[in-house]
Amino acid sequence: MRVPRSRGGFSGFLLILLGLWGGLLPFAGPYFDFGFAPDDTWVYNSDRLQLGIAPGAAAALGGLIVLFSANRAFAMFGAWLAALGGAWFAVGPPVATLWDVPGVGAPLGTGENRHVAEQLAGFTGLGVVIVFLAALALGRFAVVGVRERASQAEPEPGGSNTTQPLVYGRYARENPPGQGPPPAGDQHVAGETRYDR
């Protein structure tokens, strides 16, 4: 179940940025005359909570989990959380009208092209990109990488589970079988047998 932390780095980082963008756009957008009415900055209402803050928080939190998790199951949970946040960005405004939420307000920009850009950047397009990145992260965490498989399949080095005799001297052949270390102070002289019994 363990995966390298770098596996979700790219997707997680982008999910955090996009979640913050979607959650903060209703509050900071009026600074740039981009977003939706009311055109006052940092105005909170329940519509912004349901349609902007909640899905943005879900996407950013899911991105954090994907970015920092080394557990496959927990990282996939984060990706699913981000995907749900992105899906709510995409379909939330039309679905929310079914329970009498008036919506996010009129676009602040003038002109049809500006309205389309605000709708795509704040909801529909943003949600689709978040869902795509979350699905990319899900796919990366659902498979076992080649490097992971290779590290699992590596045989242990030969003799790692066996006991090897101790070797004294420069060469193993200098030790007669069954002989221990030389007595203290004993010196090997060239041409002589190393151990005398």
Side-chain angles (χ1 to χ4, degrees):
M1 294 301 284
R2 294 195 61 78
V3 291
R5 288 185 191 274
S6 60
R7 167 94 30 116
F10 177 72
S11 300
F13 180 71
L14 290 180
L15 286 170
I16 293 168
L17 289 182
L18 292 173
L20 289 174
W21 166 265
L24 294 176
L25 180 64
F27 298 108
Y31 283 124
F32 312 103
D33 197 30
F34 190 86
F36 300 88
D39 59 354
D40 295 327
T41 56
W42 305 105
V43 173
Y44 170 83
N45 57 39
S46 61
D47 298 343
R48 288 184 169 181
L49 171 66
Q50 295 175 21
L51 300 175
I53 299 170
L61 179 61
L64 274 172
I65 294 171
V66 167
L67 180 62
F68 291 113
S69 179
N71 180 283
R72 189 182 306 274
F74 192 54
M76 291 180 77
F77 165 76
W80 275 112
L81 182 63
L84 290 174
W88 188 246
F89 269 126
V91 302
V95 171
T97 58
L98 299 177
W99 61 77
D100 298 328
V101 174
V104 292
L108 296 178
T110 57
E112 186 175 326
N113 292 338
R114 184 75 175 271
H115 290 181
V116 170
E118 287 169 334
Q119 184 66 35
L120 288 175
F123 292 100
T124 312
L126 175 65
V128 168
V129 172
I130 289 174
V131 169
F132 171 76
L133 290 171
L136 183 67
L138 277 170
R140 287 182 58 83
F141 284 110
V143 298
V144 177
V146 174
R147 285 185 295 217
E148 294 170 60
R149 179 68 71 192
S151 66
Q152 291 174 358
E154 273 182 8
E156 293 187 6
S160 62
N161 292 329
T162 61
T163 304
Q164 299 293 325
L166 295 174
V167 177
Y168 299 97
R170 284 186 272 173
Y171 305 103
R173 67 176 192 263
E174 293 179 4
N175 293 343
Q179 191 80 20
D186 209 14
Q187 301 269 334
H188 177 69
V189 179
E192 293 182 357
T193 305
R194 181 156 187 136
Y195 300 111
D196 296 317
R197 289 195 172 233

